[in-house]
Amino acid sequence: MSSASTPPSGVQQTAPAPEPPPEKVEPEATPQGSVGPTSAETEVTAFDIAVRAPSEVREMLEKHLELQRYRAVTDLDDAELARLIVLAERNVRNLVGTLGYFSPDIRITREGGVNERPVIVVAVEPGQATTIGPVAMTFAGDIADSPDSDAIAQRTEIERDWRLPTGLRFTQDGWSGAKTQALRQLVARRYPAGRLAGSLADVDAPARSASLTVNLDSGPLYRLGPMQVSGVERYDPVLVPRLARLNQGEVYDQNRLVEAQLRLASSGYFDSAYVFINPEDDPQAVPVQVQVREAKLQKIILGVGVTTDSGPRASVEHTHLRVPGIGWRAVTKLQLEKKSPFAQTEWTSIPDEANWRWGVLARAERINDEELITQAQRLRFGRSQIGDRIDRNIYLQYDRANVQGAGLLGNSAAATGDGSALTANYVWTGRYFDSLPFPSRGYALGVELGAGTTLGQDRQPFTRTVGRWLGIKPLANGRIAMRAEAGAVLAKDTANIPATQLFRTGGDNTVRGYGYRDIGIALANGVIGPGRYLTVGSVEWQRPITLRGRSSEFEHTVFVDAGAVADKPQDLRPSFGVGTGVRWRSPIGPLQIDLAYGLKVKQARLHISVGFVF
């Protein structure tokens, strides 16, 4: 076994050291008498090449064999051709070595008579592949000596995720990829100046074994310093640091910088954002560089669409990002559709240092339930906090619902939801998914707590509580998505609680197989009214659709939905819907197309919606 000195990233072996394949170039025509790249398509060729080897080796040689570039030299004599055949043996051995075969049987011969076109036959028996033997991974720098539990965990993760463990087949691509992955894990957090200090693959060709040595130097631990912002002119200078939420002194984490960049880009205030550090700066307080390009102060968005619940719709939305005098953002929207047209304006302040915003909302809508038509108004004032995983809202809200239509005949105002109320509310939502808007695992929780009083001559106190849960569990083939929701309004039977504080369900994102708000209380004249208790549940199996053996952007689903609304818990009787559908990972979120059958109404309905909803 040779023990000659080898560069840190090289491969030491008994056979000649393998060289990486030539760089891929775009095929191009090679004129007669010239030498072109190995992948070139020649206009005139002096000889043919036939590779006889297992498919993996054959594809490598046909693509990268040096002989390919000499086929355009049409004035080669026999002596020159013989010399090329001799030189080709080393080239073939090096190429086959990159696939982990270091003891191949190579035979290169010329076929064809004196007056026949020469054919150079490259026959290769690769033999047994080299496998990984001992793997020695060492660390230098702060990560090697730090007693910090996070540094120890990071070092453990790098060792655990090493891609070439003992017993696996050795290839040059696998060797390069494993080192690259280990280095990425090193610099992803704490150590942006980390580097690959040395690496060696010591190949014992007769034993068909490769011993690997990798040394990673983390360098010093980096902590974030002051934020340096460029590109802000028209907005408050405190907006960027408050949206970015990167604190001085915290340990460097590339994911945290990416999250800050996404928050800035999705805030609406900026068309683009770029957050980075320079590892050459002081590691004890490395400045955070933020470059942004501001969005226009005002914009108008026109929209058209269609849903199976409400039919076609058109909308216009105006956004002013800095209202003169107060500096708040104002978003005003008008949406026209058959079932529930509305007009709404919402004004919000920029976040404070704790990421809380003040907000005001006003909304007027018309909800058409055929026999019952509800004219509803809502005013809201409060504070909200939108975090990476958790959202919080605290607000006072005024609701007014004026119910009209033929369904009023024979029914009381309390039964149809005619009334007004003032409530204090707290809403908490936590999302713990692996990714959005296309989660493959995780869960989410939501809780709404409200208490208030009806308004008018007969004022009655009431409370309103809603809980929601969504869980996604991966399977060997696809995933299971389970959804549950429950709500309750507690008050005297005579309390005139507005319909917007009560419950109805059914439709695209609740119980499929039923129309929008078709599940409620059956009133005296047969119309459907709102109720004080709600339960909804769903189980859905989502599995990828494969095309040519590969998972595509489409999924197939089968599901069972159930929902019930009543004025007393003991009267809850679920309505079931079953169906199947497809999902598409569209650029704007999941596109859902479902065909569902409502077991109670004995009808099938098509449901189409876009976006991840929780």
Side-chain angles (χ1 to χ4, degrees), residues 364-377:
E365 62 183 326
R366 182 178 184 270
I367 304 172
N368 186 346
D369 296 318
E370 304 302 337
E371 281 86 0
L372 292 178
I373 298 175
T374 304
Q375 303 282 356
Q377 299 85 40

Side-chain angles (χ1 to χ4, degrees), residues 233-456:
E233 296 179 358
R234 59 171 64 103
Y235 303 128
D236 194 320
V238 303
L239 181 62
V240 169
R242 290 182 182 178
L243 289 173
R245 302 203 292 274
L246 296 173
N247 301 318
Q248 282 190 239
E250 71 174 271
V251 173
Y252 168 84
D253 188 326
Q254 186 178 30
N255 285 336
R256 290 273 296 146
L257 267 62
V258 171
E259 291 169 357
Q261 184 171 298
L262 291 175
R263 281 193 294 270
L264 290 167
S266 62
S267 67
Y269 289 98
F270 307 104
D271 289 332
S272 65
Y274 184 37
V275 182
F276 63 99
I277 68 163
N278 183 357
E280 296 181 0
D281 290 332
D282 179 13
Q284 295 302 312
V286 58
V288 179
Q289 307 289 336
V290 182
Q291 299 175 357
V292 296
R293 188 174 78 246
E294 293 180 323
K296 293 182 178 179
L297 197 60
Q298 299 186 62
K299 63 180 178 180
I300 294 178
I301 299 176
L302 302 177
V304 294
V306 60
T307 65
T308 47
D309 281 343
S310 302
R313 67 167 179 250
S315 65
V316 56
E317 180 178 292
H318 173 262
T319 299
H320 196 304
L321 292 175
R322 191 174 186 180
V323 177
I326 60 174
W328 287 24
R329 173 168 57 188
V331 180
T332 303
K333 184 174 183 178
L334 173 65
Q335 181 163 298
L336 302 177
E337 59 180 56
K338 180 181 178 182
K339 290 284 188 178
S340 55
F342 69 85
Q344 174 179 297
T345 184
E346 183 173 17
W347 294 36
T348 55
S349 68
I350 66 173
D352 62 17
E353 293 182 356
N355 198 35
W356 284 93
R357 303 168 183 255
W358 290 102
V360 178
L361 178 143
R363 179 183 177 98
E365 62 183 326
R366 182 178 184 270
I367 304 172
N368 186 346
D369 296 318
E370 304 302 337
E371 281 86 0
L372 292 178
I373 298 175
T374 304
Q375 303 282 356
Q377 299 85 40
R378 172 173 293 173
L379 293 174
R380 178 186 296 177
F381 174 75
R383 303 184 74 194
S384 62
Q385 183 189 58
I386 300 176
D388 296 331
R389 293 190 180 274
I390 297 175
D391 299 344
R392 298 177 177 88
N393 287 275
I394 303 173
Y395 56 89
L396 292 174
Q397 182 166 291
Y398 167 79
D399 286 275
R400 174 74 179 97
N402 181 18
V403 182
Q404 303 171 348
L408 287 176
L409 297 175
N411 292 301
S412 66
T416 59
D418 187 285
S420 58
L422 181 65
T423 57
N425 302 270
Y426 175 77
V427 180
W428 183 96
T429 303
R431 300 176 183 87
Y432 303 92
F433 297 109
D434 57 347
S435 65
L436 289 174
F438 304 103
S440 60
R441 67 172 69 231
Y443 66 96
L445 295 169
V447 178
E448 300 178 23
L449 302 174
T453 179
T454 61
L455 302 176

Side-chain angles (χ1 to χ4, degrees), residues 55-71:
S55 59
E56 178 189 25
V57 176
R58 185 178 66 252
E59 291 175 2
M60 162 71 80
L61 295 178
E62 288 177 344
K63 184 179 294 184
H64 298 296
L65 196 60
E66 281 290 323
L67 279 173
Q68 297 281 6
R69 64 191 308 171
Y70 292 99
R71 296 177 63 202

Side-chain angles (χ1 to χ4, degrees), residues 31-255:
Q32 180 178 351
S34 299
V35 176
T38 59
S39 58
E41 293 293 337
T42 55
E43 296 174 346
V44 180
T45 58
F47 56 87
D48 294 328
I49 298 174
V51 179
R52 297 170 186 171
S55 59
E56 178 189 25
V57 176
R58 185 178 66 252
E59 291 175 2
M60 162 71 80
L61 295 178
E62 288 177 344
K63 184 179 294 184
H64 298 296
L65 196 60
E66 281 290 323
L67 279 173
Q68 297 281 6
R69 64 191 308 171
Y70 292 99
R71 296 177 63 202
V73 184
T74 55
D75 56 352
L76 288 173
D77 57 27
D78 290 344
E80 291 171 327
L81 192 57
R83 185 177 65 84
L84 289 178
I85 292 174
V86 172
L87 294 175
E89 193 273 342
R90 177 181 175 85
N91 176 234
V92 171
R93 187 174 299 277
N94 288 338
L95 290 174
V96 174
T98 65
L99 299 176
Y101 300 105
F102 292 98
S103 300
D105 182 9
I106 302 171
R107 297 183 304 278
I108 305 177
T109 59
R110 171 181 172 174
E111 295 183 356
V114 176
N115 296 320
E116 294 180 349
R117 181 182 180 82
V119 178
I120 297 179
V121 179
V122 180
V124 179
E125 288 292 340
Q128 185 177 339
T130 298
T131 57
I132 307 300
V135 178
M137 183 175 291
T138 60
F139 295 88
D142 181 83
I143 195 173
D145 307 315
S146 175
D148 192 309
S149 60
D150 191 37
I152 296 172
Q154 186 174 1
R155 190 168 66 235
T156 302
E157 289 172 6
I158 295 173
E159 294 172 333
R160 181 196 64 202
D161 296 340
W162 175 249
R163 292 184 174 182
L164 284 183
T166 300
L168 206 65
R169 176 181 161 189
F170 176 87
T171 66
Q172 186 68 41
D173 284 346
W175 172 229
S176 299
K179 292 185 291 184
T180 299
Q181 173 63 19
L183 183 59
R184 284 176 178 170
Q185 288 183 269
L186 177 66
V187 301
R189 67 178 195 271
R190 299 175 64 88
Y191 308 111
R195 63 187 182 92
L196 182 65
S199 63
L200 175 66
D202 188 359
V203 177
D204 185 345
R208 298 181 177 87
S209 176
S211 301
L212 306 182
T213 301
V214 178
N215 179 254
L216 295 171
D217 185 353
S218 70
L221 172 68
Y222 277 69
R223 295 186 180 275
L224 302 186
M227 185 173 294
Q228 299 176 354
V229 182
S230 62
V232 175
E233 296 179 358
R234 59 171 64 103
Y235 303 128
D236 194 320
V238 303
L239 181 62
V240 169
R242 290 182 182 178
L243 289 173
R245 302 203 292 274
L246 296 173
N247 301 318
Q248 282 190 239
E250 71 174 271
V251 173
Y252 168 84
D253 188 326
Q254 186 178 30
N255 285 336

